[in-house]
Amino acid sequence: MDRSRTNSGPAEDLLIELDREAGVPLHRQIESSIRTGIRAGRLRSGTSLPPTRTLAAGLGVSRGVVVEAYQQLVAEGYLTSRSGGYTRVAAPAPPAAGAGSAPTARPPVRSTGSGAGFRIDFGYGRTDVSRFPRAAWLRSVRAVLTATPNDRFAYLDGRGVPEVREALCDYLNRVRGTSSVPDAMVICNGYGQGISLLIQVLARRGARRIALEDPSSDDDARVLARAAGLDVVGVPVGPDGVRVDALHRTDADAIVLTPSHQWPTGAVLSAAARAEVIAWAERRGAIVIEDDYDAEYRYDRSPVGAMQGLAPDHVVYCGTASKTLAPGLRLGWMVVPARLAADVADAKMLADRGSPVIDQLAFADFLARGEFDRHLRRMRPVYRRRRDALLHALRTHLPDLEPAGVAAGQHVVAWLPPGLDEAAVVTAAARHGLGIHGVGPYRIASAGPGGLIFGYAVLGESAIAEGVALLARAIREVRGR
Ligand SMILES: Cc1ncc(COP(=O)(O)O)c(C=O)c1O
């Protein structure tokens, strides 16, 4: 919803404190008070100010004093004024072209949107929410609000509403090869909350060390695990996913994996490696946390089934609607081994007393009607075309970059040739108006080639081509130095 108030009528009141003893002209005091209010965000863009006559009367000053203050602020760009219309707070000044925020040492993976002023932004973590199936979702919400008895809107147990757990079990067992029953399922606010609850439960049950893929996106897990008193250890990732030989040396009690599409490298964990990881977990009594964040999008063949289906007693399966529907839904789910399920549900209860009931029921209805399948069927070719456009542009403009990983998901990593400095490329790209992240900031301790992460989910094919052309220019500049 547009948060500006362009449709509001004139305000009657505006808090301005005048100090008649201060020796500062009254119009300056009014200016300064309004300017400060706008800068501090108390007066938002679009807010209408009182008519000059009204404000003057309220402050006990002549109208000319208020007129002078308003005119000064219009000249400075803080206010807008149309003859015969209200004086309003102006829209914030747009950022200068290409002046995007330079990537920080470790940029957030789960981007809250560009907003950075880049001409083209390959920032990862955005799903094409413009394709959110609004009409179908509305039908589900309407059905829920029409048919659900009042008592269902009361507090619930920490696992979530039975309808959505049943619908998700059917879906996951059918599409992801999980071995799930509704009682093993806990609904959470996205993977972000799921991993937080799991770390709390594992720490309380005596876990001391957690292993993460290296590189990985799991900043949250890193911070949360350390806060819970766990050691964090990275396990290097190779072309076939996490290196099991290195896992054996970690002495970890749990590992977080993205086996269907490693983030960020795009590797798939081989069947042999999956079996070895599970044997490792069984031997140690360890837990594998399977982050199945984007498995719905595999473009060249059916996705490999979830690891959870191979060892439901040792694997926690985590899914999310953030890649398929919208990150803002904050809808995620876990399939938890029986011995942990009650603890995880209790942790969820303690965290927030359960996820919103209407959203869960709507999602259950959406799944049961087959709308989720239909939406994925519509979206796969869209993302596939964007991915193809990206690879084509890379082949054309930057043939010595080496795209990695399987045809899946919403991002591609491309390795840089030796001698081309990743950070220098990222910085030069930003100067050319292109937002992109390097792989380096996502490494824990592993060394490896420089690489770039291209999130393509929200970019049309022509923007993708333009972005790669900008990158090629930036790389020429780095090479020319
Ligand atoms: C590796 C990985 N896992 C999970 C998620 C989804 O997180 P959430 O469900 O909290 O939105 C993302 C989103 O960007 C991700 O990159």
Side-chain angles (χ1 to χ4, degrees):
M1 190 189 297
D2 183 1
R3 281 161 45 92
S4 70
R5 297 177 183 158
T6 45
N7 294 323
S8 61
E12 288 294 317
D13 291 324
L14 184 63
L15 178 66
I16 292 178
E17 290 175 14
L18 294 179
D19 181 352
R20 290 183 160 78
E21 312 298 318
V24 178
L26 295 176
H27 69 90
R28 289 242 185 281
Q29 294 190 39
I30 296 171
E31 270 166 51
S32 150
S33 169
I34 295 174
R35 200 184 288 113
T36 307
I38 294 171
R39 282 196 189 140
R42 284 194 301 280
L43 296 172
R44 290 206 311 253
S45 158
T47 302
S48 66
L49 299 190
T52 49
R53 205 180 301 279
T54 311
L55 185 58
L59 293 174
V61 299
S62 76
R63 181 168 168 246
V65 168
V66 177
V67 169
E68 194 171 346
Y70 278 15
Q71 281 175 347
Q72 178 61 32
L73 292 170
V74 168
E76 291 176 15
Y78 284 99
L79 300 181
T80 58
S81 165
R82 268 184 302 123
S83 61
Y86 309 127
T87 301
R88 296 181 186 280
V89 177
S101 55
T104 51
R106 190 177 171 82
V109 162
R110 290 165 190 83
S111 160
T112 52
S114 164
F118 292 122
R119 235 161 85 190
I120 309 282
D121 191 352
F122 281 123
Y124 170 76
R126 288 168 298 149
T127 296
D128 192 348
V129 291
S130 73
R131 309 284 182 125
F132 185 82
R134 288 174 186 250
W137 192 262
L138 183 62
R139 272 197 297 280
S140 290
V141 172
R142 192 185 298 279
V144 166
L145 291 179
T146 307
T148 309
N150 294 338
D151 62 356
R152 298 298 311 286
F153 293 168
Y155 288 114
L156 28 97
D157 82 61
R159 285 169 213 239
V161 302
E163 288 92 331
V164 80
R165 289 188 279 126
E166 277 156 25
L168 274 168
C169 272
D170 288 349
Y171 169 77
L172 294 172
N173 292 346
R174 169 171 60 88
V175 170
R176 300 296 303 121
T178 53
S179 167
S180 178
V181 291
D183 267 357
M185 189 155 255
V186 179
I187 305 301
C188 51
N189 298 343
Y191 170 77
Q193 185 182 42
I195 188 69
S196 164
L197 301 176
L198 291 169
I199 285 172
Q200 288 167 34
V201 168
L202 292 174
R204 226 173 287 136
R205 293 171 69 104
R208 307 231 321 265
R209 176 170 292 180
I210 189 164
L212 303 178
E213 293 167 327
D214 185 4
S216 70
S217 79
D218 237 318
D219 224 8
D220 301 342
R222 230 184 280 201
V223 173
L224 292 162
R226 289 193 178 121
L230 300 184
D231 287 343
V232 173
V233 56
V235 185
V237 165
D240 299 318
V242 77
R243 284 204 4 234
V244 184
D245 56 322
L247 173 62
H248 286 303
R249 295 192 290 271
T250 59
D251 204 21
D253 302 297
I255 181 164
V256 183
L257 293 179
T258 47
S260 292
H261 191 223
Q262 203 275 329
W263 199 96
T265 63
V268 175
L269 196 62
S270 70
R274 284 166 193 242
E276 273 191 66
V277 172
I278 286 167
W280 166 86
E282 284 169 349
R283 232 180 5 259
R284 292 186 60 80
I287 289 290
V288 177
I289 298 171
E290 177 175 25
D291 175 8
D292 203 41
Y293 64 107
D294 72 356
E296 286 85 355
Y297 297 123
R298 178 90 197 234
Y299 309 121
D300 55 346
R301 45 167 288 177
S302 300
V304 177
M307 281 180 75
Q308 190 273 352
L310 303 174
D313 291 337
H314 291 278
V315 181
V316 180
Y317 175 92
C318 299
T320 176
S322 291
K323 301 284 151 200
T324 47
L325 289 169
L329 276 181
R330 306 313 305 138
L331 203 48
W333 44 90
M334 290 180 277
V335 182
V336 184
R339 67 182 186 286
L340 297 181
D343 282 5
V344 175
D346 286 350
K348 170 67 181 166
M349 211 52 185
L350 200 60
D352 60 10
R353 297 200 203 291
S355 289
V357 173
I358 295 174
D359 294 352
Q360 293 184 60
L361 290 172
F363 188 41
D365 182 84
F366 189 83
L367 282 162
R369 284 173 196 254
E371 293 291 358
F372 195 57
D373 291 272
R374 258 192 292 286
H375 176 65
L376 291 174
R377 233 183 0 258
R378 268 196 302 270
M379 290 312 295
R380 268 186 212 110
V382 172
Y383 291 133
R384 185 195 182 132
R385 278 197 300 276
R386 292 175 184 176
R387 184 174 188 278
D388 289 348
L390 173 65
L391 294 181
H392 175 75
L394 286 173
R395 272 195 306 276
T396 308
H397 296 288
L398 289 165
D400 58 349
L401 264 62
E402 194 189 319
V406 295
Q410 301 180 328
H411 75 282
V412 168
V413 158
W415 300 118
L416 294 170
L420 194 52
D421 183 67
E422 179 188 296
V425 170
V426 169
T427 306
R431 266 201 308 278
H432 283 77
L434 180 75
I436 194 157
H437 296 319
V439 173
Y442 300 100
R443 293 188 183 280
I444 299 173
S446 66
L452 300 174
I453 305 168
F454 296 81
Y456 54 77
V458 300
L459 297 175
E461 283 131 73
S462 58
I464 289 170
E466 188 187 340
V468 173
L470 284 175
L471 178 65
R473 229 178 289 160
I475 287 181
R476 271 199 299 280
E477 181 186 294
V478 171
R479 283 188 162 133
R481 277 187 214 140

